[in-house]
Amino acid sequence: MQTEQATVRGAGRAGPVVLGVAGVVSLLLLWQLLGALDVVPRSSLPGPWSVLGALPTILSDQDFLAGALDSAAATGLTVLVGSLVAVAVGLVASSFAFLQRPTMVVVNTFRSVPATALIPIGVLIFGLGMQMKVSIALYAVVWPILINTIYGVATTEPMRRDVARSLRWGWWRQQALVTLPSALPSILTGVRVAVGIALVVVISTELLGARYGVGTVLVQYTQASRPEVVYAGVLLLGTAGALLFSALVRAERRLVRWVHHD
Amino acid sequence: MNVVVDRVRKSYGRGAEAREVLTETSLTVRSQEFVSIVGPSGCGKSTLLMMMAGLLKPSSGEIRLGDEPVTGPPAGLSVVFQDYSRSLFPWMSVRRNLTTALTASRLGKEEQRSRVEHALESVGLAGKGEMYPWQMSGGMQQRVAIARALVTEPTVMLMDEPFAAVDAQTRADLEDLVLRVRHEYDVTVAFVTHDIDESVYMADRIVVLAANPGRIAADLTVDLPRPRDQVETKLDARFAKLRSEVFRLVMRPDTPASA
Ligand SMILES: Nc1ncnc2c1ncn2[C@@H]1O[C@H](COP(=O)(O)OP(=O)(O)O)[C@@H](O)[C@H]1O
Ligand SMILES: [Mg+2]
């Protein structure tokens, strides 16, 4: 009886893994089938084995690795600067009633302009380097972080504000010890969304002309008619993105432990 | 230090929307005194207390702490809010909740530490400083809130229905805890409650508020001996008499006393 239950429970825990493996296997089969049946030409969709076989090529390509570093640096810098600016603006805009309406008008106007549409202008102003990538990506990430900051500040428990006033804390201390922590869960969600957006925009600038980056390298392989290497690169980026996301979610949980107990 | 409520009135809203929540009210809580403020829900107890705390501006009249008019939260006055789960800072450990309460007092590191340890000890939480509020039971969290109020060594402590959210057993423990620390810290207390037994058990004096509009219906002296005891005090005939008098005042504030 005991062992039977243990087995059942073990199977329950293994369930997602089994499902995941089954999913990946069927996807690979479908992929192989599409090529074998000539539904999609080999030149646009190489088979899974040739893509996996191209992984060593892309992983040993110095340009790809340097490009990945460049893209990561651009994304990281964007998220860092974007978070600092958006959180600071959000805190200030939220604490003065007369700034609240104008801020929302500005946010709603500008965030509806797609950042990728600004790439040509970015190129004209900043050229094809890091500065252009970061500027365009910054434009894309400040809005979601700003909105989440303003929203998070608005969820601050009024009683905690009263406690802070009653303890005779000044504006700075109230922001640092009450408002910011209250808004933190929402801010972190905004930052996580921003990481995704920054990655998309940075790689877009690279596909559309930036001089360095993973996107640039993928374009070069496309032009050299090496689709299996392009797919291998995309596969790597996808995996890296998924790992980054789950790391961010875990970091978020650690940073706002109290949320899940309130 | 005396807390003086001098012809204070409060209405919420403006113009046609304005609603008077507290009619002109005067009241003095004397130095070292323990005053219960009791009344039905919505009669303006919190409003009155928040004005005494300098967190809410009276529509007219003046609050004074000693001789000083209260225009904002004054030094030497602490507040214990109704709901510990919404008043503690869950992102800070218990020790940090207390230490940050001292920032406006500008004390040295060593003095801060000893104040915090002493306050924790006084409320029975010695050694619990590293815990977070959300790791604690409701009763323990309210102890933290009381310790945070005491750590500044206030002359006046205002408490707004501090035990409304805890079970009866914990409530009795916390009542006795407050009566004990009140002497230890030599503090003047204004204690808001809607619990009639509690208002009598705790106080030297009971201010009964009536609703619609909020006003003082009675001001009663409690002649029960101290220290109070959850069993003995409540068996005292004077307790029963006060209790029924407050009950009558709260339920039917406009009938004459000798009913
Ligand atoms: N900020 C506010 N705006 C408008 N009305 C309020 C506000 N705060 C309290 N009131 C009203 O004032 C009355 C007294 O409230 P309160 O002082 O909280 O009563 P109590 O603490 O005795 O339950 C209630 O009718 C309440 O609805
Ligand atoms: Mg109240």
Side-chain angles (χ1 to χ4, degrees):
Chain A
M1 204 60 218
Q2 279 279 312
T3 45
E4 208 174 279
Q5 271 211 329
T7 321
V8 170
R9 232 181 294 133
R13 220 176 302 127
V17 177
V18 172
L19 281 178
V21 170
V24 170
V25 168
S26 21
L27 208 68
L28 285 172
L29 279 174
L30 184 70
W31 184 357
Q32 184 74 27
L33 210 64
L34 283 177
L37 297 176
D38 255 342
V39 182
V40 186
R42 282 285 178 204
S43 57
S44 24
L45 180 61
W49 305 121
S50 79
V51 169
L52 292 179
L55 279 176
T57 314
I58 191 105
L59 279 172
S60 58
D61 181 334
Q62 289 306 316
D63 281 350
F64 182 80
L65 298 180
L69 220 58
D70 203 81
S71 308
T75 306
L77 192 62
T78 300
V79 173
L80 187 71
V81 175
S83 304
L84 290 177
V85 170
V87 169
V89 171
L91 287 180
V92 172
S94 303
S95 48
F96 301 102
F98 70 95
L99 283 176
Q100 276 160 17
R101 277 183 148 277
T103 309
M104 282 326 281
V105 171
V106 169
V107 168
N108 287 323
T109 310
F110 281 95
R111 76 165 166 157
S112 49
V113 179
T116 41
L118 296 177
I119 294 176
I121 298 173
V123 172
L124 286 175
I125 299 175
F126 299 111
L128 295 170
M130 179 69 98
Q131 219 183 349
M132 181 271 287
K133 291 197 224 177
V134 173
S135 313
I136 303 283
L138 259 180
Y139 179 87
V141 301
V142 288
W143 310 117
I145 306 177
L146 182 54
I147 290 169
N148 273 56
T149 305
I150 291 172
Y151 172 77
V153 170
T155 61
T156 306
E157 168 58 49
M159 193 180 275
R160 295 209 173 98
R161 290 189 188 287
D162 278 348
V163 172
R165 282 209 293 144
S166 164
L167 295 174
R168 307 194 308 134
W169 288 350
W171 188 86
W172 281 108
R173 185 158 274 127
Q174 289 193 28
Q175 299 301 308
L177 299 185
V178 183
T179 312
L180 192 59
S182 299
L184 194 59
S186 174
I187 291 174
L188 290 179
T189 305
V191 170
R192 178 156 44 85
V193 169
V195 170
I197 294 175
L199 262 176
V200 168
V201 174
V202 164
I203 292 177
S204 301
T205 64
E206 293 163 359
L207 295 176
L208 293 174
R211 209 174 295 128
Y212 305 105
V214 270
T216 315
V217 176
L218 291 185
V219 171
Q220 284 159 4
Y221 277 108
T222 312
Q223 285 163 352
S225 298
R226 302 279 307 275
E228 74 285 0
V229 186
V230 175
Y231 274 88
V234 171
L235 194 66
L236 279 180
L237 290 183
T239 313
L243 290 177
L244 179 63
F245 251 65
S246 74
L248 283 174
V249 169
R250 245 171 302 146
E252 216 173 303
R253 286 226 189 96
R254 279 191 69 84
L255 276 169
V256 294
R257 275 181 301 167
W258 67 86
V259 171
H260 309 282
H261 297 271
D262 246 9
Chain B
M1 212 175 310
N2 288 355
V3 186
V4 183
V5 176
D6 187 4
R7 286 163 293 169
V8 162
R9 230 176 37 77
K10 180 70 189 176
S11 29
Y12 286 114
R14 293 167 175 279
E17 303 260 298
R19 200 164 72 80
E20 188 167 61
V21 168
L22 201 67
T23 57
E24 194 174 287
T25 298
S26 295
L27 161 73
T28 299
V29 180
R30 285 174 221 102
S31 200
Q32 318 288 310
E33 199 174 28
F34 194 118
V35 174
S36 285
I37 300 171
V38 65
S41 183
C43 70
K45 303 183 295 293
S46 296
T47 300
L48 177 59
L49 205 72
M50 292 305 115
M51 289 193 290
M52 291 163 79
L55 289 168
L56 194 64
K57 242 172 86 73
S59 301
S60 66
E62 189 181 70
I63 311 271
R64 287 187 300 276
L65 184 60
D67 297 325
E68 286 296 305
V70 170
T71 53
L77 182 145
S78 291
V79 185
V80 176
F81 291 84
Q82 181 164 356
D83 188 350
Y84 49 81
S85 70
R86 290 187 294 142
S87 86
L88 294 173
F89 299 117
W91 41 86
M92 299 179 189
S93 67
V94 166
R95 175 166 291 115
R96 210 165 136 61
N97 264 283
L98 265 61
T99 311
T100 51
L102 287 172
T103 48
S105 310
R106 306 190 172 284
L107 302 168
K109 278 264 176 295
E110 203 40 54
E111 172 73 8
Q112 281 194 4
R113 221 199 5 245
S114 77
R115 290 253 197 127
V116 168
E117 294 315 315
H118 182 216
L120 284 175
E121 211 168 291
S122 300
V123 300
L125 290 178
K128 299 279 194 283
E130 297 314 313
M131 287 179 84
Y132 281 81
W134 41 266
Q135 297 172 319
M136 300 178 132
S137 68
M140 281 168 88
Q141 289 184 52
Q142 196 56 289
R143 284 167 194 261
V144 176
I146 294 167
R148 178 174 68 184
L150 291 173
V151 76
T152 56
E153 300 187 353
T155 49
V156 177
M157 181 160 73
L158 307 178
M159 309 182 83
D160 190 3
E161 300 197 32
F163 310 140
V166 297
D167 61 85
Q169 165 73 49
T170 309
R171 184 180 193 125
D173 287 346
L174 290 172
E175 285 169 0
D176 291 333
L177 170 82
V178 167
L179 291 183
R180 194 162 43 69
V181 295
R182 167 222 179 179
H183 284 300
E184 190 182 334
Y185 280 86
D186 255 340
V187 68
T188 307
V189 183
F191 184 94
V192 163
T193 178
H194 67 252
D195 185 300
I196 292 166
D197 283 30
E198 184 171 80
S199 73
V200 179
Y201 180 71
M202 302 293 282
D204 301 319
R205 214 175 110 209
I206 307 169
V207 172
V208 184
L209 293 191
N212 299 316
R215 62 197 186 279
I216 294 180
D219 191 329
L220 311 169
T221 301
V222 180
D223 51 358
L224 289 163
R226 292 196 186 266
R228 306 275 161 91
D229 180 277
Q230 291 285 354
V231 177
E232 292 304 319
T233 302
K234 290 176 180 177
L235 286 174
D236 196 307
R238 287 167 292 184
F239 181 89
K241 187 164 171 294
L242 272 166
R243 185 187 175 286
S244 54
E245 180 155 12
V246 174
F247 186 85
R248 186 187 52 76
L249 283 161
V250 168
M251 303 311 278
R252 296 181 291 275
D254 299 314
T255 53
S258 55

